[in-house]
Every structure is written in structure tokens, then in C-alpha cells.
Amino acid sequence: MTILRDKLYIGGRWVAPAGAGLIDVIDPSAASVYARIPEGAPADAEAAIAAAHAAFDAWSRLPAAERADHIERVAAGLEARRDELAAAIAHEVGMPLKMAGRFQVAGPIGSWKHYAKLAREFPWEERVGNSLVVREPIGVVGAITPWNFPLNQISLKVAPALAAGCTVVLKPSEVAPINAFILADIIAEAGLPAGVFNLVTGYGPVVGEVLASDPRVDMVSFTGSTRAGRRVAELAAATVKKVALELGGKSASVILDDADLAAAVKGSVSSCLLNSGQTCSAHTRMLVPRAKLAQAAELAAAAAAAFKVGPAFAEDSKLGPLVSDVQRERVVGYIRRGIAEGATLVAGGPDAAPAGSGFFVAPTVLVVEDRKATVAQEEIFGPVLVILPHDGDEDAIALANDSIYGLGGGVWAGSDEHALAVARRIRSGQIDINGAPWNPRAPFGGYRQSGLGRENGVYGLEEFLEYKAIQLPQKP
């Protein structure tokens, strides 16, 4: 049965959109229509911005503890609908259901709880000499979010923005929007004041560009491709609004000569293939000592073969489909180009996907000698690992930094001290050493063309705040 969500959430009400157009949401496991949503028009975005603008003064002046109460109710609502959210995201994105619950839903629930707690504990003001330094909300926030981790990226923008005292207009990806509608239902039930949160669906060049350019929007927080991020920044510059950008990546997993090669390769392959490789910080370049290249390739091929590809709702699936037919063709095109440019195929390949109607691509491993090859430089956003040889620590560091990006990465070494010394020299926003786990309270964001600003933890809250210095008269 196809889900129909034909209204937008603006000013505390579900309202009919300005136009009659609908967008099909495709289930990538079955290549069939899962849902239909409104094709929002500029007038819808403008109405949502007006509602957020009108609500800002009262919401920003509400005591932080009361904002935290609202945020906690949202967290409880998400918890109550955890299974529904996991199923929706499995349908939208194709991540296997069990993994969707773990990676796509648990984290966002934790984020809402964390920002409620942080709102109560954050030092909103301090005395500095004869000044009172105050942290205040930046204003109306336009949040434009992607499809690969949809609820997570929504939560890392909306929850801290609301905690800060901002009001929000959310434009989720039209590819994976149903989880955002469920969130809007929960926010409505939680009793947030009208206009504090607004949801407008539609296409980026229509709805997103209004959010980026409207002078009533004080900040745009965008996650997506580097190309689209440049466009957002260009539009936002006209009104000198703040822009936070979480963009692409080509992260390197650096394996040093003294590392446990088997553990390092297995960990690198797992990091590369999470969410079928549709992760901006995925470790998609594996840099290995030249003398161990053949052994590393053999280990990587075996590790990739252990990821059974299949539909999101199949019990034994470890790797789901890509999100769309366009994405599948793009990734397959990169694989073919890599081989044409001289890469050696050691696992998977453009024709190795399992039979079925879904948008499947087999986990693929390529060995590449040319550091400037297309597959070694460009973000593929699919289950494709590129292995490159290096000639020692200095060469590995130079190779890791040979990228326009700088989002994630890893270093594997015989000791944490050795790994840390190398990690300090890699120009990237987040580095794991020896398989260290993800930390949701640590700052996440990139260097260079991977973006501007940080998400997660207190760093994510601070993105939505301005400093104000109030000079107090000196007492005699």
C-alpha cells in the first residue's frame, strides 16, 4: 500500500500546499513506489519562513529549561515510534531493517535527549571583566538535509537549533522524507508552539533555494553534495547569512607497516561499506604498505565477500541496494571508468550485482596505482573500496592529504602512539585510530571542500548561537 502524505506542516498546522504536484518516493529494494509527498512551491517555503519568523521572539525568550521540556517530549515520541521509523527508513534508503534501527534511529533519539540535557546545562552567559558575554540564538534556521542518514541529519540540525532558541524550516530530501513527516507528527503531539518547527518538502532548486536566499532566514544548515553546498553558499552570500555545510568526502584509511594487517583491512572494509557506501565520511581509500599490497587486496576481497547483498527486509541481508537507479548507474559508471583507467578489479565489479528488481551493486574492491585516477580522487558514494600503495609514513600522510576533501579517516598502527602521531598530520575533521568507535559527542565536520562548521555535542549547539557582549559600567 502506497503511503500518501499530501500536506505540509506550517505554523503549527497541517496545510494544503500551494500546488497540486506530488513526488514519488521509491523503495530501492523493490524499485516500486513506497510513498507520495507534496511538491512544495516557493510560496510554501515563504509561508513557512514567515511562520518561523513570527514565532522566533517568543521561543527565543522561553527559558532554556522549558525548551528542554519540549525537546524531551519529542525524544519520547521518537522512542515510542522507533520501529515505525526504522521500517520507514529501510523502505526509503534500503538499509537492512536491523541495521536501520541501530544506525538510523537510535542515534537520533540519543541526540534529542542529549540536546534537552545540554539546554539545561549550557553556560548561556558569563562575566568577562566589565562585560556580560551572552550566547543568543541566531534566529530563523533553514535546515536542508540529505537522504543517506535522513533522520540523523535532521536531528543534528533541528534538535540543537531548537535547544538554542532558534525556529526552524526543514526541507528534507525528497528521496527519503517519510521519517521527517513522522517527526513532524511527533513535534505536533509534543505541543511545540506554532511556527517553531515547519516542514516543507520539495526539490532543492525550488524550496531549498528560497531558504538559502530569503533575508528572513538568518542561517542555513546544509548537508549534501559539495556541488549543491557551493550553490547554497552562493545564494546565502547575498544576505550575508551564516552557512554551515557538511559536504562530501574521500576519506583515507591509512594502514601503517606495523599494523595488524588483517584487523586493519577488515575494519577498513566495514567502514567503507556501511549503508552500501552511501556515507559521506566512509573510508573509501585504503592506503597500504607497497610490500603488503597483494596480501591486503586478498584480505579485502574476502572481507567484501562476507557482505551479503539483498533487500532491506530480508533477514540475511548485510548490504542493501543503492538509493535509486540513478545512483546505481552513477556508481557502476565509476567502476567501469576505474577499470578503463587501469585499476585491477579484485572483488565485485559492474556486473556482479545479485538478480532482482532493486538497485543493487556488489561490494567492489579496486587496486589503483595511479594516485590521480578518477576513482582515487572523486567521491563515488557507493560500495567501492580503492586500495592504493604507499612507501612509508611520510608518503602515506602525503597521499591521505592528496584530496580536495577532509571529512573522515582512520589510521592503523602497531601502537596507539604511532597511530596518533600520524593522525595529527592528516588534514581531516575526524580520524579514528586502530578502529576506535564513533563518538556522538565529538565534533563532526570537515576541512577544505568537505564543509564549514561542526555537528554533534556542544559543538553542534554552538553553531546556532551568536555572542553578544554587554558592557557594564565600572563601579567606583
Side-chain angles (χ1 to χ4, degrees):
M1 180 179 177
T2 301
I3 295 171
L4 176 63
R5 299 296 303 245
D6 59 354
K7 291 183 171 58
L8 304 172
Y9 190 70
I10 299 174
R13 298 183 300 117
W14 289 103
V15 299
L22 293 173
I23 299 172
D24 288 344
V25 179
I26 305 299
D27 182 334
S29 292
S32 60
V33 177
Y34 163 63
R36 290 189 172 92
I37 60 165
E39 181 182 347
D44 298 310
E46 291 161 3
I49 292 167
H53 185 72
F56 173 71
D57 183 60
W59 178 253
S60 64
R61 290 188 293 106
L62 198 68
E66 292 186 33
R67 296 200 299 268
D69 290 341
H70 284 290
I71 294 168
E72 282 181 340
R73 286 195 290 272
V74 175
L78 290 168
E79 185 73 65
R81 299 177 73 169
R82 178 191 289 257
D83 292 344
E84 180 186 357
L85 284 161
I89 295 172
H91 277 297
E92 293 173 315
V93 178
M95 179 178 277
L97 180 61
K98 290 180 181 178
M99 296 178 68
R102 177 183 171 193
F103 291 104
Q104 299 275 12
V105 180
I109 293 171
S111 292
W112 284 86
K113 291 178 179 178
H114 173 68
Y115 283 112
K117 182 173 183 289
L118 198 53
R120 292 192 169 91
E121 299 174 350
F122 187 77
W124 297 99
E125 57 185 56
E126 63 177 332
R127 283 292 298 268
V128 179
N130 72 307
S131 299
L132 180 65
V133 179
V134 181
R135 305 301 302 275
E136 295 185 341
I138 196 166
V140 175
V141 172
I144 305 173
T145 57
W147 50 261
N148 59 331
F149 287 89
L151 185 61
N152 184 69
Q153 293 307 121
I154 290 169
S155 298
L156 289 179
K157 299 180 191 306
V158 177
L162 296 181
C166 299
T167 55
V168 177
V169 179
L170 170 65
K171 204 296 285 185
S173 169
E174 70 280 3
V175 176
I178 297 303
N179 63 91
F181 280 91
I182 296 171
L183 173 63
D185 287 335
I186 291 167
I187 285 175
E189 292 162 5
L192 268 71
V196 168
F197 171 84
N198 306 272
L199 171 68
V200 180
T201 53
Y203 295 111
V206 179
V207 175
E209 294 209 356
V210 172
L211 295 181
S213 58
D214 194 296
R216 295 169 295 177
V217 174
D218 300 287
M219 174 181 175
V220 177
S221 181
F222 171 85
T223 298
S225 71
T226 297
R227 177 193 55 78
R230 291 190 195 103
R231 177 61 176 165
V232 168
E234 176 188 349
L235 292 168
T239 51
V240 200
K241 58 169 58 74
K242 183 176 181 180
V243 176
L245 303 172
E246 201 266 277
L247 308 175
K250 191 69 175 178
S251 301
S253 180
V254 180
I255 302 176
L256 302 175
D257 192 59
D258 60 346
D260 179 335
L261 186 65
V265 170
K266 183 178 180 180
S268 300
V269 170
S270 295
S271 175
C272 174
L273 297 182
L274 178 65
N275 201 25
S276 298
Q278 299 170 128
T279 304
C280 52
S281 59
H283 299 179
T284 54
R285 292 184 295 152
M286 188 170 77
L287 317 186
V288 303
R290 189 175 299 275
K292 299 180 179 180
L293 180 60
Q295 185 184 359
E298 184 178 339
L299 289 167
F307 283 78
K308 179 175 173 52
V309 180
F313 290 86
E315 280 290 325
D316 58 348
S317 293
K318 288 189 68 177
L319 206 69
L322 297 190
V323 76
S324 68
D325 190 43
V326 170
Q327 184 71 2
R328 175 179 60 182
E329 291 306 307
R330 179 179 181 273
V331 171
V332 168
Y334 267 113
I335 297 170
R336 295 190 193 281
R337 183 169 180 179
I339 295 169
E341 291 182 357
T344 301
L345 178 67
V346 297
D351 303 311
S357 57
F359 308 131
F360 301 107
V361 173
T364 296
V365 179
L366 299 170
V367 173
V368 179
E369 292 280 354
D370 179 4
R371 301 178 175 196
K372 296 299 183 182
T374 303
V375 293
Q377 292 289 327
E378 296 186 11
E379 184 177 38
I380 297 173
F381 223 62
V384 181
L385 177 68
V386 174
I387 305 178
L388 296 128
H390 69 76
D391 297 304
D393 288 14
E394 293 298 322
D395 187 47
I397 292 165
L399 180 53
N401 288 331
D402 183 16
S403 174
I404 64 170
Y405 299 111
L407 188 56
V411 180
W412 297 81
S415 70
D416 291 348
E417 292 75 20
H418 185 190
L420 181 59
V422 170
R424 290 183 184 277
R425 296 178 60 192
I426 296 175
R427 293 185 56 75
S428 189
Q430 194 163 88
I431 308 285
D432 313 329
I433 66 171
N434 288 330
W438 168 256
N439 180 1
R441 303 297 169 253
F444 180 78
Y447 286 32
R448 300 189 295 268
Q449 293 191 36
S450 284
L452 304 167
R454 293 295 182 265
E455 295 184 325
N456 282 351
V458 67
Y459 314 94
L461 176 66
E462 289 173 342
E463 287 291 330
F464 298 98
L465 295 172
E466 294 274 28
Y467 283 103
K468 176 188 284 182
I470 303 173
Q471 322 306 349
L472 307 174
Q474 298 277 35
K475 294 183 179 179

